[in-house]
Amino acid sequence: PKNPACPLMLGMVQRKLGKLDAARASLVRSARMDPDNAFAWGTLADIALGENHLDICLQYIEKARLLQPENKEWRLIEARALKRKGDPAGALRLLTPLDSSQKREAAVARQIAECFALLGRQAEAASALADAAVADAVNADLAYEAATAFERAGNRTRALDFATQAQILGTAS
Protein backbone atom coordinates (compact mmCIF):
# COMPACT_ATOMS: atom_id res chain seq x y z
CA PRO A 1 0.00 0.00 0.00
CA LYS A 2 2.95 2.37 0.37
CA ASN A 3 4.47 1.70 -3.03
CA PRO A 4 3.47 4.51 -5.48
CA ALA A 5 4.23 2.27 -8.46
CA CYS A 6 1.20 0.09 -7.70
CA PRO A 7 -1.48 2.78 -8.13
CA LEU A 8 0.51 4.20 -11.08
CA MET A 9 0.44 0.89 -12.94
CA LEU A 10 -3.16 0.27 -11.93
CA GLY A 11 -4.12 3.71 -13.23
CA MET A 12 -2.44 3.06 -16.57
CA VAL A 13 -4.25 -0.27 -16.93
CA GLN A 14 -7.57 1.30 -15.96
CA ARG A 15 -6.99 4.01 -18.54
CA LYS A 16 -6.34 1.45 -21.27
CA LEU A 17 -9.59 -0.25 -20.28
CA GLY A 18 -11.46 3.05 -20.61
CA LYS A 19 -12.16 3.37 -16.88
CA LEU A 20 -11.09 6.99 -16.71
CA ASP A 21 -12.58 7.88 -13.33
CA ALA A 22 -10.86 4.92 -11.68
CA ALA A 23 -7.64 5.67 -13.59
CA ARG A 24 -7.69 9.29 -12.47
CA ALA A 25 -8.20 8.23 -8.83
CA SER A 26 -5.32 5.74 -8.98
CA LEU A 27 -3.00 8.23 -10.66
CA VAL A 28 -3.82 10.95 -8.13
CA ARG A 29 -3.11 8.47 -5.33
CA SER A 30 0.24 7.66 -6.94
CA ALA A 31 1.09 11.33 -7.43
CA ARG A 32 0.28 12.10 -3.79
CA MET A 33 2.50 9.24 -2.65
CA ASP A 34 5.33 10.28 -4.97
CA PRO A 35 4.96 13.91 -6.10
CA ASP A 36 8.20 13.60 -8.09
CA ASN A 37 6.78 10.98 -10.46
CA ALA A 38 6.40 12.74 -13.80
CA PHE A 39 4.53 9.78 -15.31
CA ALA A 40 1.63 10.17 -12.90
CA TRP A 41 1.33 13.89 -13.65
CA GLY A 42 1.81 13.46 -17.38
CA THR A 43 -0.78 10.71 -17.62
CA LEU A 44 -3.25 12.79 -15.61
CA ALA A 45 -2.59 15.65 -18.01
CA ASP A 46 -3.22 13.44 -21.02
CA ILE A 47 -6.51 12.23 -19.55
CA ALA A 48 -7.55 15.84 -18.86
CA LEU A 49 -6.63 16.79 -22.43
CA GLY A 50 -8.72 13.93 -23.79
CA GLU A 51 -11.68 15.26 -21.81
CA ASN A 52 -10.97 18.81 -23.01
CA HIS A 53 -10.20 20.09 -19.49
CA LEU A 54 -7.41 22.29 -20.80
CA ASP A 55 -6.64 24.32 -17.67
CA ILE A 56 -6.38 21.17 -15.56
CA CYS A 57 -4.26 19.55 -18.26
CA LEU A 58 -1.87 22.49 -18.23
CA GLN A 59 -1.58 22.37 -14.43
CA TYR A 60 -0.69 18.68 -14.47
CA ILE A 61 1.66 18.90 -17.43
CA GLU A 62 3.50 21.80 -15.81
CA LYS A 63 4.36 19.46 -12.92
CA ALA A 64 5.49 16.72 -15.29
CA ARG A 65 7.60 19.16 -17.32
CA LEU A 66 9.25 20.56 -14.18
CA LEU A 67 10.31 17.04 -13.31
CA GLN A 68 11.31 16.03 -16.86
CA PRO A 69 11.74 19.23 -18.90
CA GLU A 70 13.19 17.53 -21.97
CA ASN A 71 10.56 14.79 -22.22
CA LYS A 72 9.09 14.93 -25.72
CA GLU A 73 5.76 13.39 -24.72
CA TRP A 74 5.13 16.04 -22.06
CA ARG A 75 5.97 18.77 -24.57
CA LEU A 76 3.57 17.24 -27.05
CA ILE A 77 0.73 17.10 -24.53
CA GLU A 78 1.32 20.71 -23.52
CA ALA A 79 1.53 21.79 -27.15
CA ARG A 80 -1.79 20.10 -27.94
CA ALA A 81 -3.43 21.85 -25.00
CA LEU A 82 -2.01 25.24 -26.00
CA LYS A 83 -3.08 24.75 -29.61
CA ARG A 84 -6.57 23.81 -28.49
CA LYS A 85 -6.67 26.91 -26.27
CA GLY A 86 -5.90 29.05 -29.32
CA ASP A 87 -2.17 29.53 -28.79
CA PRO A 88 -0.47 27.78 -31.73
CA ALA A 89 2.56 30.07 -31.40
CA GLY A 90 3.03 28.89 -27.82
CA ALA A 91 2.76 25.30 -28.98
CA LEU A 92 5.42 25.91 -31.61
CA ARG A 93 7.74 27.42 -28.98
CA LEU A 94 7.59 24.04 -27.23
CA LEU A 95 8.03 21.86 -30.29
CA THR A 96 10.52 23.69 -32.51
CA PRO A 97 13.44 23.28 -30.04
CA LEU A 98 13.15 19.48 -30.30
CA ASP A 99 15.98 17.86 -32.19
CA SER A 100 15.41 17.22 -35.88
CA SER A 101 14.86 13.47 -35.50
CA GLN A 102 12.07 14.09 -32.98
CA LYS A 103 10.48 16.72 -35.22
CA ARG A 104 10.33 14.13 -38.02
CA GLU A 105 8.24 11.75 -35.91
CA ALA A 106 4.70 11.65 -37.28
CA ALA A 107 2.89 12.88 -34.14
CA VAL A 108 5.27 15.77 -33.62
CA ALA A 109 5.36 16.74 -37.29
CA ARG A 110 1.56 16.76 -37.44
CA GLN A 111 1.32 19.05 -34.42
CA ILE A 112 3.95 21.39 -35.82
CA ALA A 113 2.18 21.45 -39.19
CA GLU A 114 -1.21 22.14 -37.61
CA CYS A 115 0.23 25.04 -35.61
CA PHE A 116 1.95 26.54 -38.65
CA ALA A 117 -1.28 26.18 -40.63
CA LEU A 118 -3.28 27.91 -37.89
CA LEU A 119 -0.80 30.78 -38.09
CA GLY A 120 -1.27 30.97 -41.87
CA ARG A 121 2.23 29.64 -42.54
CA GLN A 122 1.22 26.95 -45.03
CA ALA A 123 4.65 26.46 -46.60
CA GLU A 124 6.22 25.74 -43.22
CA ALA A 125 3.38 23.36 -42.39
CA ALA A 126 4.02 21.49 -45.64
CA SER A 127 7.75 21.42 -45.00
CA ALA A 128 7.27 19.86 -41.54
CA LEU A 129 5.11 17.09 -43.00
CA ALA A 130 7.48 16.59 -45.93
CA ASP A 131 10.44 16.10 -43.57
CA ALA A 132 8.45 13.47 -41.66
CA ALA A 133 7.32 11.77 -44.88
CA VAL A 134 10.87 11.59 -46.19
CA ALA A 135 12.10 10.20 -42.84
CA ASP A 136 9.35 7.56 -42.87
CA ALA A 137 9.39 6.79 -46.57
CA VAL A 138 6.94 3.88 -46.29
CA ASN A 139 4.19 5.84 -44.52
CA ALA A 140 1.54 6.45 -47.16
CA ASP A 141 -0.58 8.61 -44.85
CA LEU A 142 2.29 11.02 -44.14
CA ALA A 143 3.05 11.28 -47.85
CA TYR A 144 -0.61 12.06 -48.52
CA GLU A 145 -0.71 14.65 -45.73
CA ALA A 146 2.42 16.29 -47.12
CA ALA A 147 0.84 16.36 -50.59
CA THR A 148 -2.30 18.00 -49.20
CA ALA A 149 -0.25 20.55 -47.26
CA PHE A 150 1.79 21.46 -50.34
CA GLU A 151 -1.44 21.84 -52.31
CA ARG A 152 -2.71 24.29 -49.65
CA ALA A 153 0.62 26.13 -49.79
CA GLY A 154 0.27 26.50 -53.57
CA ASN A 155 3.21 24.27 -54.46
CA ARG A 156 1.62 21.92 -56.99
CA THR A 157 4.90 20.31 -58.04
CA ARG A 158 5.78 19.11 -54.54
CA ALA A 159 2.14 18.22 -53.95
CA LEU A 160 2.18 15.93 -57.01
CA ASP A 161 5.47 14.36 -55.93
CA PHE A 162 4.10 13.43 -52.52
CA ALA A 163 0.71 12.42 -53.94
CA THR A 164 2.48 10.05 -56.32
CA GLN A 165 4.51 8.62 -53.46
CA ALA A 166 1.32 8.17 -51.39
CA GLN A 167 -0.38 6.40 -54.29
CA ILE A 168 2.58 4.09 -54.84
CA LEU A 169 2.61 3.26 -51.12
CA GLY A 170 -1.09 2.50 -51.25
CA THR A 171 -2.83 5.25 -49.32
CA ALA A 172 -6.53 4.81 -48.82
CA SER A 173 -7.17 8.55 -49.36
Side-chain angles (χ1 to χ4, degrees):
K2 294 185 181 197
N3 184 349
C6 291
L8 176 67
M9 297 303 170
L10 176 61
M12 291 187 176
V13 169
Q14 290 166 324
R15 180 178 181 212
K16 287 246 185 231
L17 295 173
K19 299 177 180 180
L20 296 182
D21 290 334
R24 205 174 5 264
S26 296
L27 292 165
V28 167
R29 188 170 37 257
S30 176
R32 284 189 181 149
M33 292 169 75
D34 182 8
D36 293 333
N37 187 330
F39 291 100
W41 297 115
T43 306
L44 282 165
D46 199 31
I47 290 171
L49 179 62
E51 296 176 333
N52 211 31
H53 299 299
L54 303 179
D55 291 330
I56 293 170
C57 171
L58 290 170
Q59 289 172 17
Y60 288 145
I61 205 65
E62 179 182 11
K63 292 177 183 182
R65 295 250 355 259
L66 284 173
L67 296 166
Q68 294 179 340
E70 297 305 315
N71 184 303
K72 176 193 63 163
E73 296 305 319
W74 307 154
R75 284 176 182 254
L76 198 53
I77 291 169
E78 186 174 0
R80 286 181 176 135
L82 290 172
K83 182 186 76 171
R84 207 175 285 176
K85 277 191 84 152
D87 185 10
L92 281 173
R93 281 191 295 277
L94 289 170
L95 298 176
T96 53
L98 291 172
D99 69 56
S100 58
S101 67
Q102 290 176 317
K103 288 192 279 190
R104 288 190 299 261
E105 292 176 19
V108 177
R110 285 180 176 119
Q111 284 302 306
I112 290 172
E114 288 174 16
C115 291
F116 277 133
L118 287 170
L119 293 170
R121 296 160 62 180
Q122 302 300 332
E124 289 166 285
S127 179
L129 289 169
D131 290 345
V134 168
D136 188 358
V138 296
N139 189 326
D141 292 334
L142 269 177
Y144 179 78
E145 291 171 42
T148 303
F150 277 115
E151 179 71 24
R152 279 191 220 109
N155 188 335
R156 295 189 69 92
T157 303
R158 299 270 333 253
L160 286 172
D161 291 342
F162 281 100
T164 302
Q165 179 184 353
Q167 187 175 31
I168 290 168
L169 293 171
T171 185
S173 302

